[in-house]
Amino acid sequence: MTASATPAVPSAAGRWVVTGAAGMLGRDLLAVLEDAGIEAAGLRRADLDVTDAAAVRAAVEGAAVVVNCAAWTDVDGAETAEDAATAVNGTGVRVLAAACADAGARLLHVSTDYVLPGDASEPYREDAETGPLNAYGRSKLAGERAVAELLPQDGYTVRTAWLYGEHGPNFVATMLKLAAQRDTLDVVDDQHGQPTWSRALAHRLVELGLAALAGRAPAGVYHGTASGRTTWFGLAREAYRLAGLDPERIRPTTSAAFVRPAARPAFSVLGHDRWAEAGLAPLADWREQLAEALATPEFTRLAAGAREGSTG
């Protein structure tokens, strides 16, 4: 199945609820659910405060599956506002998990590679020891623990990383926009990860939710990242190549050249063994995902603009 293929839907798919519905992943997820003919309610931040227990209980009542895409995503900002980040990424998830437990709903919670220490040399297994490097990672780990504690049989944590898509700020879009402004770009080549298209992840979340409803997917942690691995430098070069730009315009540099408030993991490559337990193959290679993503209207437009405005 390609990333854009619509999964087969059983008659017992039920009603789904998507929090964080205005975000990049949330918007893709709602589109995939609509294409699949699954009834879904998309709740934006303005529609639902995930820390409001009464509002959350009302929102998930009658739902078969809840997909939590709501999150504090300002990694650097969390360094000086950890309590606020944890309120959304930790307390909010605990509230959602408790409400799902009461409603008998499956919860698919989207988490991050940042809960891991980033010091490995081989892909992290789903049961690898956690060890966040920053406040954002700690806040997300609090959410993972809440799901495991309150929904041991019906809670699914899906860690993703290096996400890009059509509906929000992301690295791939930024690289294409900068191509029209700069002859060359220096990009970090000492952080390793798995660039993942948000639409491909949205399809996988729907597949996992359906497998959970059918009793085929055991609860717990899954890694929702593309297969293969690269660096930010490698990703930028491949995006340029696919967009018809000269990859040599991307030059390698180190993380030391871009000091930021929050420490970033040097190694964010995740293993995908658990998908077999749900009867699913790992997500496609990152290059395959990127090629499919760049053929979509928004990325096609950005690539055309990059070529037209390019001086390199």
Side-chain angles (χ1 to χ4, degrees):
M1 177 181 290
T2 64
S4 57
T6 301
V9 180
S11 58
R15 173 177 171 270
W16 293 41
V17 171
V18 178
T19 63
M24 180 168 62
L25 178 58
R27 290 178 65 180
D28 276 344
L29 183 55
L30 287 174
V32 171
L33 288 166
E34 181 178 7
D35 289 345
I38 297 175
E39 179 188 356
L43 302 176
R44 303 163 299 171
R45 183 188 306 174
D47 302 320
L48 179 67
D49 175 0
V50 293
T51 67
D52 184 334
V56 169
R57 282 196 301 272
V60 307
E61 184 177 359
V65 177
V66 176
V67 187
N68 181 37
C69 299
W72 173 296
T73 57
D74 182 358
V75 175
D76 290 324
E79 290 299 299
T80 54
E82 186 166 355
D83 287 348
T86 303
V88 178
N89 295 342
T91 305
V93 177
R94 179 168 290 276
V95 170
L96 274 169
C100 286
D102 290 342
R106 276 75 168 181
L107 174 62
L108 275 58
H109 169 58
V110 180
S111 191
T112 173
D113 61 303
Y114 277 53
V115 301
L116 299 164
D119 58 356
S121 57
E122 295 295 328
Y124 281 101
R125 291 169 49 90
E126 292 86 349
D127 60 359
E129 186 174 351
T130 55
L133 297 178
N134 54 42
Y136 168 73
R138 291 190 292 271
S139 73
K140 293 294 286 185
L141 182 57
E144 288 196 10
R145 288 172 172 166
V147 174
E149 176 189 339
L150 298 178
L151 290 167
Q153 303 301 321
D154 293 314
Y156 299 78
T157 289
V158 181
R159 294 175 182 151
T160 193
W162 293 31
L163 208 61
Y164 63 90
E166 293 188 87
H167 302 302
N170 63 87
F171 178 83
V172 174
T174 297
M175 291 297 101
L176 293 175
K177 291 173 183 177
L178 289 176
Q181 304 170 22
R182 302 181 190 176
D183 291 341
T184 61
L185 288 169
D186 294 336
V187 179
V188 169
D189 195 31
D190 59 359
Q191 294 178 21
H192 300 261
Q194 298 157 310
T196 303
W197 183 27
S198 58
R199 180 61 67 98
L201 178 58
H203 277 275
R204 178 45 51 94
L205 289 168
V206 174
E207 292 166 347
L208 179 60
L210 294 174
L213 289 172
R216 297 194 309 269
V221 175
Y222 292 78
H223 285 163
T225 53
S227 298
R229 67 177 76 177
T230 188
T231 64
W232 293 112
F233 167 75
L235 172 58
R237 280 207 162 191
E238 183 66 3
Y240 268 40
R241 186 187 71 79
L242 291 169
L245 300 165
D246 181 7
E248 295 299 320
R249 293 171 59 189
I250 305 295
R251 305 182 306 191
T253 189
T254 67
S255 301
F258 294 95
V259 178
R260 304 177 75 172
R264 264 61 175 179
F267 191 83
S268 292
V269 180
L270 308 183
H272 305 117
D273 290 347
R274 286 212 72 207
W275 290 116
E277 298 181 42
L280 298 168
L283 289 169
D285 184 84
W286 69 272
R287 296 175 186 84
E288 182 181 334
Q289 289 190 24
L290 184 62
E292 193 170 353
L294 288 183
T296 58
E298 176 62 14
F299 280 117
T300 298
R301 181 187 67 80
L302 289 174
R307 291 190 299 271
E308 291 171 5
S310 177
T311 59

